[in-house]
Amino acid sequence: NRDPMNPIIGARAFSDSAGTVGRLGLEMLDGLRAGDVLAAVKHFPGHGNVQTDSHLGIPRSGVSLGDFTEIDLAPFRSAFAHGADALMTCHVAFDCLDPGRPATLSHRIMTDLLRGELGFKGIAITDCLEMGAVSSACGVGEGAVLAVEAGCDILCFSHTYEAVSLAAQPLYAAVDSGRITPERIDESYERILRIKTKYHLLEPPSLSAESARSVIY
């Protein structure tokens, strides 16, 4: 949390120090993974250096490319090197990377940077597409299409079925028109399938009242 005027991150961050965030983040990652829980590091590539709430509008980071690389990106580099399998995006526009689009909708960030430069092989989950940074700027439907074009694998809708419905038809239309190719869909499908297999999510759940009681205090 780099900016003391940040209205949304605050105590949600481990620290205002990139090193501390990286260290504690890896401990949290290891703890969740030890319990066979998929952890998503967030909000890629950094939500701590802005003064706008992305629930309401598009926050903009004017940080230099050097500072972005050395500070904002550092904990994510550590997490990826440590084997993080998932991330959540942020709806922040970075002047040094792609001033025209928030990260969630930016191919430069979600594909060129994330996949090409950082070599991330896991799944990219969007922050909620109903948030004002997306819904007010381009609408939920176009936002969903842009997120897939950018390279996101899973689209998050946190509040209403209406938003899911508004996104579904534009996505179908984008595939039918060729705007989104079958190959692009397959990329995400294969990443999701690989992670589901790793975390045994394709196997029938083994549930029993006895095992439930054993972990409830």
Side-chain angles (χ1 to χ4, degrees):
N1 188 50
R2 295 180 60 192
D3 192 321
M5 299 300 291
N6 192 315
I8 190 61
I9 298 300
R12 299 169 69 192
F14 281 117
S15 173
D16 58 3
S17 159
T20 302
V21 170
R23 179 174 59 83
L24 296 180
L26 294 188
E27 294 288 346
M28 185 73 177
L29 179 64
D30 283 342
L32 290 169
R33 194 155 47 191
D36 210 23
V37 175
L38 174 62
V41 294
K42 67 176 193 175
H43 302 70
F44 179 83
H47 207 313
N49 196 35
V50 296
Q51 296 186 4
T52 302
D53 183 348
S54 52
H55 292 86
L56 306 177
I58 301 178
R60 180 169 298 279
S61 174
V63 66
S64 69
L65 182 60
D67 279 353
F68 168 79
T69 301
E70 293 298 320
I71 301 173
D72 298 87
L73 208 57
F76 293 103
R77 287 185 184 276
S78 297
F80 298 160
H82 203 66
D85 288 312
L87 63 81
M88 176 173 277
T89 69
C90 70
H91 302 328
V92 174
F94 291 85
D95 290 341
C96 64
L97 295 171
D98 186 350
R101 290 183 177 175
T104 302
L105 311 183
S106 169
H107 189 276
R108 166 71 185 97
I109 294 174
M110 297 310 304
T111 295
D112 296 343
L113 173 64
L114 179 65
R115 307 293 182 185
E117 297 176 34
L118 299 178
F120 181 67
K121 305 296 185 185
I123 53 176
I125 307 165
T126 71
D127 206 344
C128 179
L129 295 179
E130 295 176 77
M131 293 164 64
V134 173
S135 62
S136 296
C138 61
V140 170
E142 178 66 8
V145 173
L146 289 172
V148 173
E149 287 184 317
C152 297
D153 302 305
I154 295 177
L155 309 182
C156 177
F157 302 91
S158 303
H159 303 286
T160 66
Y161 175 79
E162 179 186 10
V164 177
S165 179
L166 288 172
Q169 290 308 316
L171 285 167
Y172 283 124
V175 173
D176 289 341
S177 70
R179 179 179 174 183
I180 296 176
T181 66
E183 291 77 15
R184 170 66 196 91
I185 298 297
D186 286 344
E187 288 176 2
S188 287
Y189 173 78
E190 290 168 5
R191 283 193 284 260
I192 294 167
L193 187 64
R194 184 170 63 249
I195 298 303
K196 282 189 172 186
T197 300
K198 180 176 179 177
Y199 286 86
H200 314 294
L201 296 175
L202 299 177
E203 303 169 8
S206 177
L207 305 173
S208 72
E210 181 179 351
S211 63
R213 281 192 292 269
S214 71
V215 296
I216 296 175
Y217 297 94

